[in-house]
């Protein structure tokens, strides 16, 4: 699928939701926001029916249902009542604010979130994945980006102003607040929904007009008016991720983490990113569609660890597992009080302020101040610099530093890679079955919608061993819909697959042992020479990145231009990054690495990282092209090692044919033709043993070598 | 020549000389400092003899002499006396310091500097282009980078510690000072020699040990002990750069600058970069070897302008010219008092703190404070933010912003480009004559040193119309010397050109209408297959960059990997950037753009910018390869313009054959062979009319098309 930036990356680059609405220094290219996919405003209630075979044991078994059955229309009624109700709360003495900002995020900066946290969608009606709502005493405005202007126009409740972020003259949220509020106003936020960094930026921006940023702790104003109709927080059972897939046991991971703590002169760390918690504990959950994670926090200290989670999610086996690992279970809601008690016992707490909420950071700061004043400790400096000089007078202190889990999780171990390889082969088998079926159906004149096709793909995938869920909502776009990069077909209004147009399919799955993400673009009839030229140039970019060799420790953006070069030659480009990180049986988008034109991300590409390779080209109102494989960074074993560094390259994880009918072979160099033939040879060798019948034949037909004319 | 980063770029990336000595986050690749060429510790006294023909009028005529005649050995005597003398000054009541830092720069952050300002070389003995000397009461240390370790070992006076910057465990200057000085020490600098930004960084770094940064205004301690033997400041006549080469007259430039001042809510600007002053006034000087500039400052106000320069440099014609442009002349030394009087009259002064010295910035700040306190003005905030909200209470204020001249100068107008094209053709004619001569000489068994060859090249160039000077010291390296990227052959100890080894020649010239910079690598005998493979991969990088098409407004570093890709495939690389900006009849290195792995430089490449394209490969103790042309950024006129932006490409300025004997044609693609043949066709067509005899024949022989085997 195309490269929306992964979460952690976006945190590095655009730490505040408000920044996203600023004008770009790179014109059109950079106004592209970090996330493509919609917030999942439905909460699937999968039956606990196991599809897992005995050799791929799923601890808490799960099965997915087609999204067409689950999707429901958002409630579009009573917009004014909601605004009236929320404004009545503004004047409550314990709240007392002049404006309230409702961001898209949950308390963990998740890309996909549970329905009960879709507050921005509830209050405004707008369900797109990116957007910020701001309500003042007499105005309500919603900021979103170019991908969502049309959708927001259709969905926004009456009384809302649409702020087309990135358009000339459109203010940012803070600029708007500075313009319309009387100086010295009070701007409220739910401090759990803002990272400490983004709250700091907001505070700074609105202080220009002497506005005060007010953290409203005790109540989320949207929840307060949502009342009974608000979905319950998800509460699904947590399962243990088998060591044969995780590769490293939880004790070893905790031990490494504790070494990092010691090295940073810290005694504890609080982690709030859900995939970091899942990775650290070798646990998986199903609180959120597509992401096998559970809502929780964890605090790891040198001599203990506490998991903050609703204990209804923990069955006795998992409870034993946690106990064996020395992890205590605490209520999810008690995170703040525990953070405060850490200060009381003099902890030096590692906080990644780009992900940890301002609620947590402030709770610790305040508790530190309290400690300092009550103990008469002269050392008022509660901000320690990691690796800095150690002061003799020790008290509680915050150590502000990026999460050490982010890199550890991104660099896959051999077991994780093996799981990724294996799950990709099964996924490829499902894809071969699917494409064989689809070509036959279309060939025999069947009328299929984009959703029909996505549902059928899910059916094929769900028959594969260890299948759990899709890894994101399938993007199934015929003709012009393929040009909408975030396109999500809706059952009642999606298109019929047009055999005379290009068809783009971007999909992925969560398996017990790995996560997949693949895009193929095909034509069922006769593509035009223009479509072929565009496809071929996208393919050239894909090949150039796939074949790239580069020095160890180089940032990913250096490779981004390789994937665009062939398109640039004729003045074409695509408005998204080329590659994002992918978790191992975890989130389909993860950081910290990326291959993108977001040049601020200096994260180096390192052995064992998994990235997508997905250049594309999109012609508005006509067609979309994207070719996506997942790759793993590996040593290239070059004959020389100039500079004493190793040179790295990529290993392909995805093995599904690329439609050669769409290639203009005269444009491809001999090297590129060789790449294509070699890739198809590997596809045949690896996947043909896994399929039979029409899928076997389809695979044979679609992996035949081509010859340069 | 290889891409040492241009001055302005380096200012953006490494604003302090102290930063250069820090350890890199990218390992070996980034420890490479910004400048390659040595400080010119000689002061050539060219006779005022005109070589300029009537059609290329030089106002103040100049002729260059071979560097072999001018170069002299640095004085290596009495090291201890100098240290003793400088330490005696430490305790003088008006000085009172515990350490003194002596950087390489002059007061204008120049790359090449006049001999009288080579204080670091005088005090330490080390003459390399990059280095910082620090003297304490009992220690003296010099920091330089890997290019200069050997030279520094040989040259440093006794009693000096060599700090091999970039090596593991080697502290930075400030780390060293923090380690050895008693807390609360006083560290002295000459505030004219530090940009405001670099002084701020230094101050911050040493404040960790409560050291104070002391600006010693009234005396430079090295000058104080240098005394009579110190060369006089240069005092050469300034000339007017003809409008037919400059393209835009000084009134228009001043008018544009004043618009920028108004837009930034400023009333005045002080400019200290010498090439910016030369460009703005269409003046040229010869105070510094290779750089056609004069030592000066300028202050431009909305209603006037003052040039601070020794008026002995201004003949009556130039004085009239300045008067006509509304520019008053003031003594060079009066810059500080004028800056102070600007504050007194309430100016809002635009200061580029990355180039303007801390002496000037502090003088203005202090004067602003004085104004605020004496006038009883309540507005103590003397720091204004450009384009920020305008306060009603107006007083003097500093507007901190990058110099507006930097971009204006980098984007060449049509007259400047025409001058660049024309001077490059004349330069190419000289090169053809030179190579024809050299091949004949070597072929007939002549024994020639690297310096002989450089001198002969100067002879050919100096016969060309409008020749003024070399644009840097010629790098003439046979065999292993070619691997020393900054190699400067010395008359008494340089090598003989070995016909059995690769020969690298990087050179350039200043002409009345343009500036050139070219590198060719040749072999006079039979190159090995390894040499050919390396040469061919460097050439592939050169071609890839030359042929790159990219969206308007993209930063140059995006293209850097194109030039390395072919080398990376076999684990090779080069430790310098690929392209630097070049001035039009101005400095051979200029910013702000670059094509480099210094990813912090976000300056976009824009139409009319001139950059070098100079990938290379260097095998220590064996050979060096570099292929360099100058390019001009131009519109690519692609058939499409995705995103509504134009796509840009390059126009070649340099037309000198590339030795095809060194190409492994089997490695080159058809497209690359076509590029080579097309280039040579253009070389033949453009340059053959300018040469005759053996040069004509040589050009013919060396531009014949090659055929892929």
């Amino acid at each position: 699928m195309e490269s929306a930036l992964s979460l952690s990356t976006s945190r590095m680059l655009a730490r505040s939701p408000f920044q996203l609405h600023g004008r770009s220094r790179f014109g059109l290219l950079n106004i592209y926001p970090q996330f493509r996919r919609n917030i999942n405003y439905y909460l699937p209630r999968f039956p606990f029916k196991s599809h897992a075979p005995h050799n791929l044991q799923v601890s808490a078994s799960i099965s997915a249902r087609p999204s067409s059955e689950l999707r429901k229309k958002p409630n579009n009624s009573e917009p004014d009542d909601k605004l009236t109700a929320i404004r009545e709360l503004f004047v409550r003495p314990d709240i007392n604010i002049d404006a309230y900002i409702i961001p898209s995020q949950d308390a963990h900066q998740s890309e996909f979130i549970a329905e009960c946290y879709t507050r921005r969608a509830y209050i405004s009606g707008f369900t797109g994945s990116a957007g910020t709502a701001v309500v003042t005493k007499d105005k309500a405005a919603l900021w979103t980006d170019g991908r969502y202007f049309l959708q927001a126009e259709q969905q926004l409740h009456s009384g809302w102003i649409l702020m087309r972020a990135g358009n000339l003259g459109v203010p940012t949220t803070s600029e708007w607040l500075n313009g319309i509020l009387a100086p010295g106003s009070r701007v409220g936020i739910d401090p759990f929904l803002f990272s400490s960094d983004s709250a700091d930026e907001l505070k700074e921006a609105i202080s220009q007009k002497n506005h005060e940023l007010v953290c409203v702790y005790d109540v989320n104003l949207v929840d307060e008016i949502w009342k009974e109709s608000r979905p319950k927080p998800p509460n699904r059972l947590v399962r243990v991720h088998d060591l044969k897939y995780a590769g490293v046991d939880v004790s070893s991971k905790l031990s490494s983490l504790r070494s990092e703590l010691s090295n940073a002169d810290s005694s504890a760390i609080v982690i709030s990113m859900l995939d970091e918690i899942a990775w650290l504990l070798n646990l998986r959950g199903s609180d959120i569609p597509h992401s096998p994670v559970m809502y929780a926090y964890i605090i790891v200290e040198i001599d203990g660890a506490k998991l903050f989670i609703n204990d209804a999610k923990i069955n006795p086996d998992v409870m034993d597992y946690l106990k064996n690992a020395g992890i205590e279970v605490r209520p999810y809601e008690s995170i703040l009080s525990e953070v405060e008690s850490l200060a009381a016992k003099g902890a030096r707490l590692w906080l990644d302020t780009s992900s940890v909420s301002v609620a947590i950071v402030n709770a610790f700061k305040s508790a530190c101040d309290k400690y300092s004043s009550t103990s008469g400790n002269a050392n008022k400096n509660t901000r320690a610099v990691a690796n800095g000089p150690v002061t003799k007078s020790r008290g509680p202190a915050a150590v502000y530093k990026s999460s050490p889990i982010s890199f550890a999780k991104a660099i896959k171990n051999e077991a994780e890679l093996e799981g990724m390889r294996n799950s990709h082969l099964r996924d490829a088998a499902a894809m071969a079955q699917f494409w064989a079926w689809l070509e036959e159906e279309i060939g025999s004149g069947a009328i299929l919608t984009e959703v029909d096709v996505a549902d059928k793909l899910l059916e094929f995938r769900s028959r594969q061993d260890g299948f759990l869920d899709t890894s994101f909502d399938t993007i199934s776009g015929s003709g012009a819909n393929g040009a909408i990069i975030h396109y999500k077909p809706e059952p009642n209004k999606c298109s019929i697959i047009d055999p005379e147009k290009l068809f783009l399919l971007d999909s992925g799955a969560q398996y017990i042992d790995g996560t997949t993400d693949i895009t193929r673009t095909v034509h069922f009839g006769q593509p035009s020479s223009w479509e072929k030229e565009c496809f071929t140039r996208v393919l050239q970019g894909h090949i150039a990145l796939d074949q790239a060799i580069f020095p160890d420790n180089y940032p990913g953006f250096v490779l981004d231009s390789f994937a665009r070069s062939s398109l640039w030659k004729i003045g074409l480009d695509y408005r998204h990054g080329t590659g994002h990180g992918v978790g191992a049986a975890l989130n389909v988008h993860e950081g910290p690495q990326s291959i993108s034109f977001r040049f601020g991300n200096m994260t180096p590409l390192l052995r064992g990282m998994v990235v997508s390779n997905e250049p594309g080209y999109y012609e508005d109102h006509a067609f979309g092209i994207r070719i996506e494989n997942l790759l793993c960074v590996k040593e290239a074993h070059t004959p020389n090692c100039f500079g004493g560094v190793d040179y790295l390259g990529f290993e392909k994880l995805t093995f599904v044919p690329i439609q050669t009918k769409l290639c203009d072979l005269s444009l491809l160099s001999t090297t590129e033709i060789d790449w294509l033939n070699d890739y198809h040879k590997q596809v045949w060798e690896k996947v043909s043993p896994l399929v039979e019948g029409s899928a076997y034949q389809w695979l044979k037909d679609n992996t035949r070598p081509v010859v340069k004319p």
Side-chain angles (χ1 to χ4, degrees), chain A:
Chain A
M1 76 208 191
E2 63 85 16
S3 161
L5 267 191
S6 62
L7 184 58
S8 304
T9 304
S10 71
R11 278 195 285 137
M12 295 179 56
L13 302 181
R15 293 186 160 189
S16 151
F18 305 92
Q19 279 198 324
L20 290 176
H21 303 132
R23 276 180 296 284
S24 149
R25 62 182 297 176
F26 274 84
L28 282 169
L29 275 165
N30 261 14
I31 63 169
Y32 228 78
Q34 79 274 50
F35 303 131
R36 174 180 83 232
R37 300 195 175 95
N38 289 349
I39 285 176
N40 295 274
Y41 51 86
Y42 60 91
L43 184 69
R45 306 277 177 195
F46 298 138
F48 276 78
K49 191 181 104 191
S50 174
H51 276 268
H54 65 279
N55 64 332
L56 287 164
Q57 197 57 52
V58 183
S59 304
S61 44
I62 292 164
S63 95
R65 286 162 62 203
S67 49
S68 55
E69 289 181 35
L70 295 162
R71 202 154 294 138
K72 54 184 180 190
K73 298 269 291 177
N75 181 356
N76 213 42
S77 65
E78 304 164 41
D80 290 342
D81 287 358
K82 287 179 186 169
L83 285 178
T84 307
I86 203 167
R87 284 171 181 146
E88 276 168 12
L89 295 172
F90 280 19
V91 295
R92 231 169 69 178
D94 60 327
I95 295 174
N96 183 23
I97 54 174
D98 303 294
Y100 193 62
I101 304 180
I102 305 123
S104 299
Q105 293 87 333
D106 63 17
H108 306 267
Q109 307 285 320
S110 306
E111 177 177 8
F112 302 123
I113 65 177
E115 194 188 6
C116 62
Y117 301 127
T118 60
R119 291 146 176 148
R120 194 256 299 130
Y122 174 78
I123 190 76
S124 70
F126 170 63
T127 62
S129 72
T132 302
V134 182
V135 180
T136 70
K137 284 178 174 170
D138 53 2
K139 289 188 172 62
L142 178 113
W143 279 254
T144 190
D145 61 82
R147 301 173 304 170
Y148 289 117
F149 291 164
L150 197 66
Q151 183 181 340
E153 282 165 23
Q154 292 166 346
Q155 293 185 326
L156 269 185
H157 296 154
S158 66
W160 282 79
I161 306 162
L162 173 57
M163 293 291 192
R164 293 174 178 80
N167 279 7
L168 214 68
V170 174
T172 63
T173 46
S174 47
E175 283 168 357
W176 187 69
L177 286 170
N178 285 346
I180 62 161
L181 295 181
S185 292
R186 291 166 55 86
V187 177
I189 60 167
D190 179 338
F192 284 95
L193 304 187
F194 284 75
S195 73
S196 176
D197 286 350
S198 60
D200 283 350
E201 281 169 26
L202 176 58
K203 190 175 171 175
E204 168 78 17
I206 62 172
S207 72
Q208 287 183 16
K209 284 292 170 88
N210 289 320
H211 302 320
E212 189 184 342
L213 186 69
V214 178
C215 289
V216 183
Y217 274 88
D218 297 328
V219 56
N220 180 290
L221 273 58
V222 178
D223 296 355
E224 192 75 1
I225 60 167
W226 207 342
K227 294 201 179 96
E228 300 76 41
S229 63
R230 184 180 173 221
K232 294 271 171 298
N235 221 356
R236 320 269 316 267
L237 279 181
V238 165
R239 61 188 164 85
V240 174
H241 186 53
D242 199 309
L243 185 57
K244 72 181 161 191
Y245 307 129
V248 177
D249 65 27
V250 61
S251 306
S252 306
K253 288 183 180 179
L254 284 171
S255 162
S256 303
L257 175 58
R258 285 173 175 134
S259 299
E260 296 248 24
L261 291 184
S262 299
N263 292 341
D265 193 24
S266 304
S267 62
I269 184 169
V270 54
I271 298 165
S272 68
M273 296 285 287
L274 302 185
D275 63 336
E276 295 190 357
I277 297 169
W279 179 87
L280 179 66
L281 300 185
N282 292 342
L283 290 180
R284 294 294 184 269
S286 31
D287 284 344
I288 300 181
H290 315 308
S291 299
V293 298
M294 55 282 166
Y295 277 103
Y297 296 99
I298 192 168
I299 290 174
V300 177
E301 294 178 80
I302 296 296
D303 54 359
K306 296 192 181 84
L307 180 66
F308 299 81
I309 191 167
N310 183 333
D311 64 6
K313 299 181 189 178
I314 312 285
N315 70 20
D317 287 354
V318 174
M319 193 60 91
D320 281 351
Y321 168 88
L322 288 170
K323 195 178 278 179
N324 286 341
I327 298 161
E328 298 170 56
V329 173
R330 292 280 186 279
Y332 179 77
E333 294 73 20
S334 67
I335 180 69
L336 283 199
S337 60
E338 181 68 24
V339 162
E340 284 162 358
S341 71
L342 280 174
K345 62 182 184 181
R348 297 176 62 82
L349 183 62
W350 183 328
L351 291 164
D352 180 343
T353 51
S354 70
S355 65
V356 174
S357 69
V358 65
I360 290 173
V361 172
N362 280 358
F364 187 70
K365 273 188 202 164
S366 305
C368 285
D369 289 345
K370 211 165 114 185
Y371 165 87
S372 301
S373 59
T374 57
S375 70
N377 192 323
N379 176 20
K380 287 273 183 185
N381 177 17
T382 60
R383 183 179 187 109
V385 176
N387 302 325
V390 179
T391 54
K392 274 182 186 150
S393 158
R394 304 286 284 191
V399 177
Y400 297 114
K401 212 166 176 252
S402 293
S403 164
I405 310 286
S406 179
F407 261 102
K409 175 168 60 64
I411 298 167
K412 273 69 182 166
N413 61 44
E414 203 34 59
E416 289 171 322
L417 286 180
E418 204 49 34
M420 289 295 273
R421 288 188 194 104
N422 291 336
S423 57
H424 271 80
L425 293 184
R426 300 197 304 281
D427 203 57
M431 292 299 289
Q433 292 159 353
F434 163 80
W435 285 114
W437 165 82
L438 182 59
E439 283 190 8
E440 200 171 305
E441 289 291 313
I442 300 281
S444 63
I447 304 297
L448 294 166
T449 68
E450 293 159 338
V451 168
D452 292 340
V453 163
D455 289 353
K456 190 72 184 181
L457 173 58
L458 175 56
E459 188 185 317
F460 283 113
R461 274 194 167 122
S462 61
R463 285 183 210 147
Q464 289 294 330
D465 287 356
F467 175 82
L468 299 171
D469 194 357
T470 51
S471 59
F472 56 94
D473 278 319
T474 297
I475 297 169
S476 161
S478 175
N481 291 341
I484 303 169
I485 299 173
H486 73 301
Y487 182 66
K488 185 163 84 167
E490 300 286 342
N492 301 323
K493 49 180 184 177
C494 71
S495 296
I496 303 295
I497 307 290
D498 185 335
E500 295 309 317
K501 289 183 175 158
L502 285 169
F503 174 59
L504 184 155
L505 187 73
D506 185 352
S507 68
Q510 293 290 357
Y511 294 91
I512 189 69
D513 51 345
T515 304
T516 69
D517 182 0
I518 174 176
T519 310
R520 287 294 181 268
T521 306
V522 302
H523 200 291
F524 301 100
Q526 272 309 315
S528 70
S529 62
W530 174 238
E531 288 168 336
K532 287 173 73 174
E533 171 159 12
C534 294
F535 183 90
T536 306
R537 289 183 181 275
V538 171
L539 178 61
Q540 288 176 306
H542 182 97
I543 295 172
L545 180 55
D546 182 90
Q547 294 291 87
I549 307 285
F550 49 93
D552 197 3
N553 225 17
Y554 239 66
F557 64 73
V558 167
L559 308 181
D560 182 70
S561 50
F562 290 153
R564 296 176 201 274
S565 173
S566 182
L567 288 164
W568 284 348
K569 295 268 183 207
I570 58 165
L572 301 184
D573 201 353
Y574 49 98
R575 290 195 181 112
H576 58 74
T578 308
H580 58 81
V582 180
L586 256 179
N587 291 358
V588 73
H589 286 168
E590 72 170 19
Q593 78 275 17
S594 71
I595 297 172
S596 167
F597 48 72
R598 290 184 184 262
F599 307 122
N601 185 358
M602 294 295 289
T603 309
L605 293 178
L606 300 172
R607 285 174 201 74
M609 284 181 168
V610 173
V611 287
S612 68
N613 172 10
E614 46 180 316
Y617 172 66
Y618 311 91
E619 199 147 294
D620 283 349
H621 316 299
F623 61 82
I625 293 164
R626 188 158 64 246
I627 305 172
E628 177 187 20
N629 281 352
L630 296 194
L631 306 173
C632 168
V633 181
K634 61 158 195 179
E635 227 167 292
H637 299 295
T638 49
N640 313 282
C641 288
F642 181 82
V645 301
D646 289 326
Y647 286 70
L648 306 178
F650 296 112
E651 172 191 341
K652 281 178 270 287
L653 295 173
T654 308
F655 290 99
V656 174
I658 291 164
Q659 198 177 44
T660 53
K661 180 170 76 179
L662 274 166
C663 298
D664 179 343
L665 298 178
S666 71
L667 276 177
L668 293 175
S669 71
T670 318
T671 319
E672 288 161 340
I673 301 253
D674 290 348
W675 182 93
L676 194 60
N677 289 337
D678 179 66
Y679 179 57
H680 282 152
K681 182 164 171 278
Q682 289 183 60
V683 170
W684 173 250
E685 286 167 0
K686 285 171 192 283
V687 185
S688 65
L690 307 179
V691 291
E692 48 194 24
S694 60
Y696 184 87
Q697 188 56 46
W698 179 88
L699 206 62
K700 193 165 199 170
D701 293 342
N702 282 275
T703 55
R704 282 187 221 285
V706 293
V707 183
K708 194 169 166 68

